[in-house]
Amino acid sequence: MPSAYENALKQIDKAAALTKVDSETLARIKSVNKIVQVEFPIVLDSGKTKIFQAYRVQHNNWRGPYKGGIRYHWNVDLDEVKALATWMTLKCAVLDLPMGGGKGGVIVDPRDCSKSELEKISRAFARAIVTDIGPEVDVPAPDVYTTPEIMGWIRDEYEKITSTSAPALITGKKVENGGSEGRDIATAQGGVHVLNEAVKKLKLNAKGLRVVIQGFGNAGGVMARLLFEQGYKIVGIADSKGAIYNPDGFEPKLVYSCKLEKGAVNNCSITLHEDNAKNTVHLSNEELLEQDCDILIPAALENQITGQNADRIKAKLIVELANGPTTTGADRILREKGIMVAPDILANAGGVTVSYFEWLQNKRDEKWSKEDVLQKLEEKMVAAFAAVYEKAQELDVDLRRAAGVLAIERLVKAMPKSA
Ligand code: NAD
């Protein structure tokens, strides 16, 4: 299987082949501007000292400051962070945001850390990268297993060291700490807009369409709730420990409460009605992807839909809320099967879009209402979908390649002259 970064570069190559971009410009678009790799010691609650490794990758800043989340995960590696930074560059261009692409990652299992250990790690990481980030340079945000509270610690540490007030340093903060209304649901809400637009293009009747979601966190968990509220039927849910499937459909809020109580969705059978719970089957999260459904939403990690399982996917539409969930090998198979894929650099861009709104509000010392933020988000997502769809029709290609072409064309316009 290709690595996530190989996958990202292949996707750029495939899109670039449809443009007039020359090989030197393409090489510049693919290259990573800067890799910051750090190690720092932390005294754990046990009294032992552990060295943590972390990265900040700055891929491209032609269109504006580097922008991208920080991931806390035991499997973080440089290849993955480079891939995620590259996708951020493309994503910001597809959404036409004046931002570039960056990403950070700390190798840690946050599920094993106390709150005070997480705070120490976050502050130490901020100290280690303090000269590389800044409101006009590189603006981090949350990603897998990072939270508004963690964003607050990083902001606070940065401000202490630089003796500045810098709310625009980082986005995804708590609302009372300079965060934006609507940021907590932005990724999922953006995904819902893209999904609804795709459903219209496929001429499907939205009511009762069956949805399977892999990943039940900030992205997938919220999207499950929003889709349920719109009348979609959530028939499958997975988290890192396993999956549940029930053709009668789940109420995501009930599953979430059960997960809190029992530790994993796989320990839950609960549906809408007590008597339907017996129809719930318990699966691995790989098996869930292959279950009968109309819409599949990968909302966990990279490389989940591959050349090995793509042929067994039954959905008519895939909405990539995760970054890089589909390999290029799988893409070919999905295209042959006639499955529409709303690509990550479009479908999960709601988060960075509202992060951009948060950054703007911080810089202008403004506070926008939730209605205002969500209205602006909808306009951005619907416009981006329309631009990508139109490009796909024009070039007779899938939405991923069309989004890539759009991003490359916009990047080329912003490219500075080389030295
Ligand atoms: P999160 O930490 O809130 O949730 C991650 C979820 O995935 C958890 O439910 C976890 O149990 C589950 N998970 C982990 N490994 C899994 C596996 N192998 N199979 C099934 N489930 C698994 O993270 P998140 O913010 O929801 O991010 C999820 C994806 O969405 C990532 O790819 C992230 O890059 C992407 N994304 C997130 C945002 C955002 O604003 N949070 C924005 C854009 C993209």
Side-chain angles (χ1 to χ4, degrees):
M1 198 193 300
S3 74
Y5 186 52
E6 282 165 352
N7 202 22
L9 295 183
K10 268 195 207 162
Q11 289 167 354
I12 295 181
D13 282 336
K14 277 175 169 275
L18 298 167
T19 69
K20 295 193 181 76
V21 68
D22 62 73
S23 60
E24 285 168 17
T25 303
L26 180 59
R28 286 184 66 185
I29 289 173
K30 285 161 75 177
S31 69
V32 169
N33 280 2
K34 188 171 182 180
I35 295 171
V36 184
Q37 182 168 355
V38 295
E39 294 190 338
F40 46 83
I42 296 293
V43 181
L44 303 176
D45 293 351
S46 64
K48 289 207 173 100
T49 298
K50 185 172 171 187
I51 308 291
F52 285 86
Q53 285 179 296
Y55 307 95
R56 183 75 191 167
V57 171
Q58 298 173 331
H59 174 255
N60 184 297
N61 64 350
W62 297 347
R63 293 175 49 88
Y66 301 103
K67 185 89 196 76
I70 297 174
R71 176 173 295 193
Y72 286 6
H73 198 276
W74 49 102
N75 282 338
V76 161
D77 64 25
L78 182 55
D79 182 280
E80 179 187 63
V81 186
K82 279 163 67 179
L84 291 165
T86 307
W87 284 317
M88 284 309 297
T89 301
L90 302 177
K91 196 182 301 182
C92 289
V94 170
L95 268 289
D96 211 5
L97 307 177
M99 316 273 335
K103 202 82 181 189
V106 180
I107 305 174
V108 57
D109 188 343
R111 300 171 307 180
D112 288 346
C113 294
S114 68
K115 190 170 164 182
S116 98
E117 287 171 337
L118 276 181
E119 179 170 355
K120 283 186 197 172
I121 292 166
S122 306
R123 288 183 181 279
F125 185 42
R127 284 195 295 279
I129 61 170
V130 71
T131 53
D132 295 293
I133 56 176
E136 302 300 331
V137 182
D138 183 345
V139 185
D143 190 69
V144 174
Y145 290 129
T146 49
T147 59
E149 186 166 44
I150 292 175
M151 301 304 109
W153 292 327
I154 295 175
R155 172 188 169 185
D156 185 57
E157 198 63 27
Y158 177 91
E159 290 182 333
K160 269 197 228 158
I161 299 169
T162 57
S163 304
T164 55
S165 166
L169 165 76
I170 198 160
T171 57
K173 303 178 291 290
K174 286 183 185 173
V175 173
E176 60 272 23
N177 186 29
S180 177
E181 294 286 352
R183 176 62 184 86
D184 50 346
I185 61 163
T187 302
Q189 185 62 66
V192 170
H193 292 312
V194 167
L195 183 148
N196 283 337
E197 294 303 297
V199 162
K200 280 188 225 158
K201 294 293 182 197
L202 289 169
K203 299 196 170 36
L204 298 172
N205 182 1
K207 200 95 197 140
L209 283 178
R210 295 159 309 150
V211 180
V212 160
I213 302 192
Q214 185 204 44
F216 202 50
N218 180 31
V222 179
M223 183 127 173
R225 179 170 61 75
L226 295 175
L227 288 176
F228 177 80
E229 285 165 6
Q230 281 198 10
Y232 289 90
K233 198 181 216 185
I234 312 301
V235 294
I237 299 175
D239 65 14
S240 63
K241 295 183 181 139
I244 47 175
Y245 180 83
N246 188 322
D248 300 320
F250 298 105
E251 147 65 294
K253 274 192 195 157
L254 295 180
V255 176
Y256 185 69
S257 309
C258 174
K259 176 183 156 90
L260 284 185
E261 189 191 326
K262 298 188 177 170
V265 297
N266 201 19
N267 297 332
C268 305
S269 298
I270 194 156
T271 58
L272 297 172
H273 308 289
E274 192 97 358
D275 46 335
N276 289 341
K278 62 181 185 313
N279 296 332
T280 299
V281 288
H282 299 262
L283 304 164
S284 70
N285 47 46
E286 292 82 14
E287 288 169 328
L288 182 70
L289 299 175
E290 300 170 14
Q291 300 305 305
D292 216 4
C293 66
D294 301 300
I295 303 171
L296 175 62
I297 304 178
L301 297 170
E302 302 90 58
N303 287 344
Q304 299 298 305
I305 304 171
T306 67
Q308 268 74 53
N309 64 4
D311 203 31
R312 296 192 294 277
I313 302 271
K314 300 193 180 70
K316 301 177 186 76
L317 168 66
I318 296 176
V319 179
E320 293 185 338
L321 216 54
N323 284 303
T326 310
T327 66
T328 40
D331 255 337
R332 189 178 39 78
I333 299 169
L334 298 173
R335 202 166 44 247
E336 282 164 11
K337 283 169 65 98
I339 299 175
M340 182 191 271
V341 180
D344 47 6
I345 56 173
L346 169 67
N348 72 31
V352 72
T353 301
V354 175
S355 269
Y356 164 62
F357 295 160
E358 180 176 333
W359 180 75
L360 271 188
Q361 290 171 76
N362 294 154
K363 277 162 52 102
R364 295 176 182 170
D365 199 16
E366 291 175 358
K367 265 269 155 255
W368 302 352
S369 70
K370 187 166 180 179
E371 293 67 36
D372 210 8
V373 169
L374 294 181
Q375 176 63 34
K376 287 183 164 76
L377 172 66
E378 181 170 0
E379 286 163 15
K380 274 281 191 198
M381 298 305 299
V382 170
F385 182 92
V388 171
Y389 192 82
E390 195 178 305
K391 188 63 90 180
Q393 298 290 103
E394 180 194 321
L395 300 172
D396 194 19
V397 295
D398 59 42
L399 297 180
R400 188 183 318 281
R401 280 181 94 183
V405 170
L406 200 63
I408 290 169
E409 288 174 350
R410 288 179 176 164
L411 279 164
V412 169
K413 281 195 193 133
M415 184 172 74
K417 290 201 172 39
S418 40

